[in-house]
Amino acid sequence: MVAEQITEHGLVDDPHLRRGARGYPLLPGGYGRSTYYTGRPSPYAVRGEGYRVWDDRGREHIDANNNFTSLIHGNAHPEIVEAAVRALSAGASWGIPNLDEWELAEQLMTRLPSLDQVRFTNSGTEAVMAAIRIARGSTGRDRVLVTDGGYHGTSDVALVPGGPSYTRGVPRGVIDDVTPIPLNDVSALHAAVEAAPAAYAAIILDLLPNRAGLLHITDEFVHSARELASRHGIVLIIDEVISLRLGYHGISGEYGIEPDLLTTGKTIGGGFPVGAVAGRGELMAEVDPTKPNSLPHGGTFSGNPVSMAAGAAALRLYPESEVLRLNALGEIVRSSVSARIAGTGWTVRGQGSLIRAVPEGVNKVDDATQHRLWWESYERGLLGSPANLLSLSTPMDKAVAVDLADRLADAVIAVSDKQD
Ligand code: PMP
């Protein structure tokens, strides 16, 4: 492991770090995005193929990070590469519509039969921003109800459920228009909405909140949200940026819930930047430019043919049989890890192809613990996200799942020993 050394202007033992004339690393902290951070200088990815990634330290890993769950078909899937290269060679992106937008729209909307239309964005963050704008525009109301620990990206509104440590730099007015309530607290949900039903534009739910340790959201909570939203003319937004992979009809389908708007991203771009807001026709009419006074929706790269073509290929390669197969592999991982880590004070949570080990009874895991588990996993050739969210990809089979589970269990055991 690399020893950590921090100077006035940032980490110095990263061999790739480049400094500007005034001594600062060109990337703040030495990172191109803060979400890479694992407590010490990071390895660099060199190459990926299928479920494996190689890094610049000469190590081979099972890639269960999958760029934060987005690579549902692993690295460089030949059919996705072919689709992306075909779009790229034809010009990459244009300022008039392209046919691949229709193709991805069709692939996605067949999976969401209760919704009618979709608009593409460049990220999940933008999709959630658009959904909230549509909800506010259509209701004429401002307030948004969220759950503690729900993650909806990095817009001002989306940072509020993270609590005070996330809202530095977010204007007071934005914070005041967002009401966070505790997860699974049906009475708090009723109390918040019924105190001012005509104030709420939207209820937005993340049904597998990673920031809350993948805590399971109860059916009662989800269906109460649906019922309250319908009763009071509030738009129910289900944020499926991560969770769409969990069911052929997304996690909403697994809960038997019909959202008014659904946001997604990650897997539907085949590894390229993407987001989407899908919704009922009456609501999506808000962004219909043929109607007077419609809401703005743009984005230079929204709907770009490379993301669209790669995404359509990714969805074609993920029929219901593959959803079920990956979910079953997730069960194998969870049960095998559970058996091996019994007595360590850790547990394994998740649903379908998303897996996370957390200390028992803890929903918000501290950074130091997360980083320890990340590095113990890394040492065993297993890459997760810095929060140790693991996702499976279709190149994996049962043997890989068992191997992955062994590496994860070994890492958890190592971390728990160190905590003694
Ligand atoms: N919503 C949820 C539920 C997410 O998990 C994420 C990303 N992890 C986002 C929104 C934001 O997506 P992006 O990172 O593409 O902006």
Side-chain angles (χ1 to χ4, degrees):
M1 234 183 261
V2 181
E4 192 171 356
Q5 195 186 344
I6 300 177
T7 63
E8 188 195 349
H9 295 307
L11 300 167
V12 294
D13 49 9
D14 175 345
H16 305 284
L17 188 142
R18 294 176 210 183
R19 293 182 189 281
R22 299 207 308 133
Y24 287 93
L26 297 176
L27 303 171
Y31 294 94
R33 47 178 158 155
S34 298
T35 43
Y36 287 136
Y37 187 57
T38 52
R40 60 176 64 125
S42 182
Y44 283 73
V46 173
R47 190 170 77 81
E49 187 184 316
Y51 64 83
R52 288 175 300 172
V53 158
W54 289 265
D55 72 24
D56 66 333
R57 299 177 190 176
R59 289 172 182 257
E60 177 183 321
H61 304 276
I62 295 179
D63 183 11
N65 177 313
N66 282 309
N67 192 16
F68 295 82
T69 80
S70 58
L71 303 180
I72 195 136
H73 302 296
N75 294 262
H77 189 290
E79 284 177 52
I80 297 179
V81 171
E82 192 187 325
V85 167
R86 191 258 303 147
L88 184 58
S89 323
S93 63
W94 305 287
I96 57 173
N98 67 81
L99 294 175
D100 290 303
E101 292 174 275
W102 288 107
E103 185 57 31
L104 182 56
E106 188 167 43
Q107 288 291 334
L108 178 62
M109 297 314 286
T110 345
R111 294 167 182 252
L112 306 174
S114 68
L115 303 178
D116 306 301
Q117 296 185 310
V118 61
R119 271 294 174 82
F120 295 108
T121 61
N122 300 296
S123 66
T125 294
E126 286 178 42
V128 172
M129 289 168 75
I132 291 171
R133 171 84 40 75
I134 291 169
R136 286 175 163 165
S138 68
T139 57
R141 305 166 177 177
D142 290 338
R143 204 176 293 178
V144 177
L145 187 139
V146 296
T147 57
D148 291 333
Y151 184 76
H152 304 290
T154 49
S155 70
D156 282 356
V157 170
L159 290 172
V160 179
S165 57
Y166 287 84
T167 49
R168 208 160 60 84
V170 177
R172 186 79 252 162
V174 172
I175 297 172
D176 289 346
D177 277 330
V178 181
T179 308
I181 60 155
L183 275 169
N184 287 333
D185 189 335
V186 176
S187 340
L189 174 66
H190 276 271
V193 172
E194 278 153 11
Y200 283 97
I203 296 175
I204 175 159
L205 299 180
D206 169 3
L207 296 182
L208 198 66
N210 186 37
R211 192 146 59 183
L214 295 193
L215 201 71
H216 179 74
I217 307 296
T218 62
D219 280 305
E220 189 195 0
F221 187 80
V222 177
H223 288 279
S224 301
R226 175 65 282 175
E227 197 272 315
L228 276 170
S230 300
R231 187 168 352 135
H232 297 296
I234 301 167
V235 176
L236 179 66
I237 306 171
I238 305 287
D239 184 358
E240 297 231 26
V241 170
I242 283 191
S243 60
L244 192 79
R245 60 156 55 221
L246 297 175
Y248 185 71
H249 304 297
I251 200 172
S252 309
E254 302 299 293
Y255 275 90
I257 192 95
E258 292 186 356
D260 301 311
L261 295 175
L262 180 146
T263 50
T264 188
K266 297 202 192 258
T267 54
I268 68 155
F272 290 86
V274 82
V277 51
R280 292 194 294 110
E282 311 86 272
L283 287 170
M284 296 303 288
E286 291 287 343
V287 289
D288 176 349
T290 68
K291 302 227 158 54
N293 204 24
S294 64
L295 297 173
H297 167 250
T300 303
F301 296 106
S302 293
N304 77 78
V306 180
S307 297
M308 300 294 102
L315 286 185
R316 269 195 302 275
L317 291 162
Y318 198 53
E320 184 153 32
S321 54
E322 279 298 87
V323 177
L324 297 176
R325 188 180 70 82
L326 271 200
N327 287 350
L329 289 184
E331 284 305 321
I332 291 173
V333 173
R334 275 185 294 278
S335 60
S336 142
V337 173
S338 284
R340 287 210 40 222
I341 67 173
T344 61
W346 282 65
T347 186
V348 63
R349 292 202 194 129
Q351 182 174 333
S353 55
L354 296 172
I355 299 143
R356 184 167 167 193
V358 290
E360 269 165 18
V362 175
N363 295 336
K364 191 170 174 358
V365 186
D366 65 89
D367 286 349
T369 305
Q370 294 192 154
H371 293 162
R372 272 207 305 279
L373 181 59
W374 192 89
W375 283 102
E376 292 294 353
S377 303
Y378 172 83
E379 293 293 336
R380 291 163 178 79
L382 175 62
L383 286 183
S385 79
N388 299 292
L389 176 64
L390 306 185
S391 62
L392 304 184
S393 62
T394 58
M396 295 179 180
D397 59 13
K398 189 171 169 199
V400 177
V402 169
D403 186 1
L404 184 158
D406 273 343
R407 296 179 197 215
L408 176 58
D410 288 344
V412 168
I413 290 164
V415 169
S416 65
D417 284 342
K418 282 181 187 165
Q419 280 179 330
D420 287 343

